[in-house]
Each structure stands twice: as structure tokens, then as C-alpha cells.
Amino acid sequence: MCSSPMLERDEKRKGVYENPCDYSNGKWVRTKRGPLYNGTTCVKMKKNQNCIANGRPDSGFLYWKWKPSECHLPRFDPNTFLQFISNKHVAFVGDSISRNHLESLLCMLATVTKPNRVRHQGSRRWHFPSHNAILSFYWSPFLVQGIPRKNPGPHYNTVFLDRVNLRWARDMDQMDMIVLSFGHWFNVPSVFYEGDDKVLGCHNHPVTNCTTEIGFYGPIRRALRIALNSIIERKVSKGNGVDVIVRTYSPSHFEGDWDTGGTCAKTNPYGVGQRQLEGENAVIRRIQLEEVENAKVKAKQFRGFRLEVLDVTKLALLRPDGHPGAYMNPFPFANGVNPKKPVQNDCVHWCLPGPIDTWSGIFLEMMKNMARAA
């Protein structure tokens, strides 16, 4: 990825290159500056994440910014981001949080230039004619081959941990940057296979003939390893350069179980010391960091392969106020509150605009650092 003229001018003024900052540690602080877009100026967002338009009464969650402990995180600049992806294809691969992230990014980029929707079998794509740039989303909640559970239908996932999902892997040669993210779909009843008929084990015992409980940490590790190895073997080992970003796990904030009336009604972030990274959130993040380091070692003999981590777990953990909650649907309390019929809450995805916009600010700073290193 080449350094942009804007970045070069920036560095000449500074005279020296800064060391990359650890953006994962910090705190949320108040700001008077609102988001770059809103629910009426951006048509790219899903209605379920358009919280203000759906009647959310508070808007204070929009006026916080992430302040890293070690450095300054600039406000996201759409023009600079578009310069970095000029003549490139950036593919987001993962679950609906990955789509949520891309839609946030599209909303911010659309404030300076409008993309065109492009028809493509297997992905959702947008083309920015001004920069000949493509952004795409590939639905692949396991990264490997799998069949998600359905309602009605099998109440468990069927996941093949020995093969990458060709839905995105078959287009790998078209991709200049791949943003991988996943996790939430593993923590539901699942049967895990190696090969077509060898059952490795299951999670939450979804079927009577699967007696080996293996949890979901091991399968998450294997799935990410297969995905990264596939990129190395199918693309990098052939001399084709690619940048890969692994975005870490985004915690949910259900108070109560998600499927039995759990809610997320907080209206402010957690302050310093109020919430620690622990348990499931910490383990999944650690697995992702470890597998990235393993892949770097495996691919170190190949040129043109850069692998980095977009570490959002800690900053996302501190924002219980940033989810749609009850406002995943329009005006959920228009007819009052019925205690016998709780309103469904979404405490996994993020409001647009909202805290998820910060992820792309860090993403852009990572691109700058990668350009400096090149």
C-alpha cells in the first residue's frame, strides 16, 4: 500500500515517524462534536440500527470519543481513507457485526462521495467511482464452511472446521485487503465436523448422538487458523500481496439472557475501573491475537503479506449504551409497556451513528502506520 501525498506532507512536517500507538487502551470522554452523519443523510444503514429514527429518546450516546492512553486518535477523515483505498478492493468477511462495521464506514465515506451498488453473486458490493475503490461484505459467520441454525429448521449450527468458506475464498484473488471478524455464532448449539462425516464434538449438546462437549474456544481457534492459512496458501505463497486485518471480538451487553427478555438500557459508557475485560470476551480476544502471531510466523518468508489486528474489544466493552436495545424496531413503547410480553432487545449490534464509527478511525490510523512501514 503506497503512502499518500497527504501522509508524506504530514511526515515531512513532523520530521520523524511516530511509533504505532496502542489504540486498544483508553477511556471514553465527552465531546461536543457529533457524528459525521445521521439516520436521514445515510441510506446505507439497516433500519434496525437506525436508533434515533426508531424513537430512541436520548442522544447523549453520540457525544463521546475514544481517548487512547498513549496518544491522540484523530477524527475520521473520509477523504484520507478513500485515498488509501484508491484502486483497491477491501473485503469485509464475517458475521452481521462485520456488516454493521462496513455500513458505518459507508455512511462516513458517503459524506464526501456517493458509492454505487454493484451486483455480485456472493457478496454485497459498493464502488466509489471517484477513487475506483470497492468495498464489499461477504456473509461468513464462521469463516470456515458452515450451515447456521435456522428457525424453523435445525436449532444448531453445522460447522466444518477443516475447510475455508468458498463464498469468500473463491474471490480472494480479487481482494487487496481482507477484514476478518467473527465469534458470536459459535456460542450457540453447534456440531463441529472434520471432513464430511467425522464429528469432532459439539457445543451445548444439540443432538443426542453427539456426546463429546468441546465448547467453542477450540473451534474458534481452528476456524481463524484455517482462514489465515488459506489466505497464505491461496494468495500469498503465489506471490500475490494482500493486507489482512483481524478485527477482535465485539462484546454484547445483555442484562439477562438474550433469548429470554435480556435488555441493554444504559445511557452512558462505563467509566474507568467499572468494567474489566474478563471471561469469554477476554478468552476470544486472546485466541485471535495468538492466531495472528502464529500466522505471521508461518508467512514471514513471503513478501507482500501484512497482517495486523484491529483491537476493539476493550473500547467496545465500555459502551453498553451504544446498542439499539429496544429501538431495533420503530417506537417499541408506543402502546405502553406490557410486562407479560417483553420487548425484544438487540444488545449485540451497534446504533448508527454510534460507538462503532470509532472502529474506522482506528482502522485509518492503522493504514497510515502500514504505509509508513512500507
Side-chain angles (χ1 to χ4, degrees):
M1 184 180 294
C2 295
S3 178
S4 70
M6 183 179 299
L7 180 61
E8 290 171 359
R9 290 196 301 270
D10 232 23
E11 295 303 340
K12 285 177 182 177
R13 285 198 300 269
K14 292 179 182 177
V16 294
Y17 291 140
E18 294 180 352
N19 291 325
C21 173
D22 177 8
Y23 294 103
S24 67
N25 289 306
K27 61 182 179 180
W28 290 95
V29 297
R30 285 281 189 186
T31 179
K32 294 181 178 179
R33 298 185 74 177
L36 289 172
Y37 64 97
N38 58 50
T40 57
T41 61
C42 183
V43 297
K44 307 302 177 188
M45 67 177 70
K46 282 181 68 68
K47 293 180 179 179
N48 289 3
Q49 276 100 59
N50 196 345
C51 303
I52 297 298
N54 286 344
R56 178 167 173 168
D58 65 302
S59 60
F61 72 98
L62 299 174
Y63 294 90
W64 294 88
K65 67 177 181 179
W66 180 246
K67 181 177 175 56
S69 301
E70 300 176 355
C71 58
H72 171 65
L73 176 62
R75 185 174 171 87
F76 180 80
D77 183 353
N79 285 304
T80 303
F81 189 93
L82 286 165
Q83 285 185 9
F84 275 110
I85 66 169
S86 292
N87 302 310
K88 297 184 183 299
H89 175 194
V90 181
F92 285 70
V93 179
D95 56 20
S96 54
I97 308 295
S98 177
R99 184 195 63 219
N100 197 184
H101 182 193
L102 176 55
E103 288 169 348
S104 158
L105 176 58
L106 287 168
C107 285
M108 292 192 288
L109 296 179
T111 61
V112 296
T113 184
K114 302 299 181 185
N116 297 324
R117 183 69 184 272
V118 178
R119 289 185 175 274
H120 178 262
Q121 186 175 2
S123 74
R124 299 170 65 190
R125 292 192 177 193
W126 292 264
H127 178 244
F128 288 85
S130 59
H131 293 74
N132 189 33
I134 293 175
L135 291 173
S136 64
F137 168 65
Y138 288 80
W139 165 254
S140 184
F142 311 111
L143 302 185
V144 293
Q145 194 69 35
I147 304 170
R149 68 176 188 168
K150 297 179 180 179
N151 185 20
H155 64 284
Y156 56 89
N157 301 321
T158 301
V159 186
F160 299 92
L161 292 172
D162 61 332
R163 68 194 75 165
V164 71
N165 186 357
L166 291 179
R167 183 184 183 112
W168 66 273
R170 66 189 172 205
D171 292 339
M172 204 180 291
D173 288 342
Q174 304 171 17
M175 302 171 183
D176 300 290
M177 175 176 281
I178 306 171
V179 184
L180 300 174
S181 57
F182 72 128
H184 286 278
W185 275 85
F186 281 79
N187 194 14
V188 296
S190 303
V191 179
F192 300 107
Y193 288 82
E194 184 175 57
D196 293 329
D197 53 11
K198 181 183 177 183
V199 176
L200 290 175
C202 53
H203 175 53
N204 282 346
H205 297 289
V207 290
T208 56
N209 63 347
C210 181
T211 58
T212 305
E213 171 68 32
I214 63 172
F216 60 93
Y217 293 142
I220 282 178
R221 183 183 294 278
R222 289 191 59 165
L224 181 55
R225 184 175 297 178
I226 286 291
L228 292 174
N229 285 348
S230 295
I231 294 171
I232 295 170
E233 293 163 6
R234 291 168 179 252
K235 193 170 177 73
V236 181
S237 64
K238 297 178 181 178
N240 299 318
V242 65
D243 293 331
V244 179
I245 306 293
V246 174
R247 196 262 297 155
T248 61
Y249 188 65
S250 171
S252 62
H253 290 90
F254 284 101
E255 295 182 9
D257 294 330
W258 69 271
D259 55 350
T260 56
T263 62
C264 46
K266 285 185 168 59
T267 56
N268 284 296
Y270 289 118
V272 175
Q274 288 185 313
R275 188 73 183 268
Q276 301 300 320
L277 179 60
E278 57 190 1
E280 174 185 303
N281 298 324
V283 174
I284 296 174
R285 172 181 175 270
R286 176 173 55 79
I287 289 171
Q288 292 171 320
L289 298 180
E290 289 173 352
E291 287 307 310
V292 165
E293 291 306 311
N294 290 338
K296 285 182 178 179
V297 172
K298 180 173 182 176
K300 65 181 180 180
Q301 72 269 32
F302 300 117
R303 300 187 62 175
F305 176 60
R306 293 184 294 189
L307 174 59
E308 301 294 341
V309 174
L310 175 54
D311 191 353
V312 303
T313 305
K314 296 178 185 178
L315 63 95
L317 178 68
L318 300 179
R319 292 305 303 270
D321 58 321
H323 302 287
Y327 298 95
M328 61 182 290
N329 294 310
F331 303 97
F333 303 113
N335 297 321
V337 178
N338 183 354
K340 295 183 179 180
K341 190 177 180 181
V343 171
Q344 184 180 1
N345 276 237
D346 180 355
C347 306
V348 176
H349 302 94
W350 300 91
C351 289
L352 297 181
I356 196 171
D357 297 335
T358 300
W359 300 4
S360 292
I362 299 173
F363 188 12
L364 175 55
E365 295 309 301
M366 290 174 62
M367 286 183 167
K368 293 178 182 178
N369 287 329
M370 292 166 78
R372 292 182 185 117

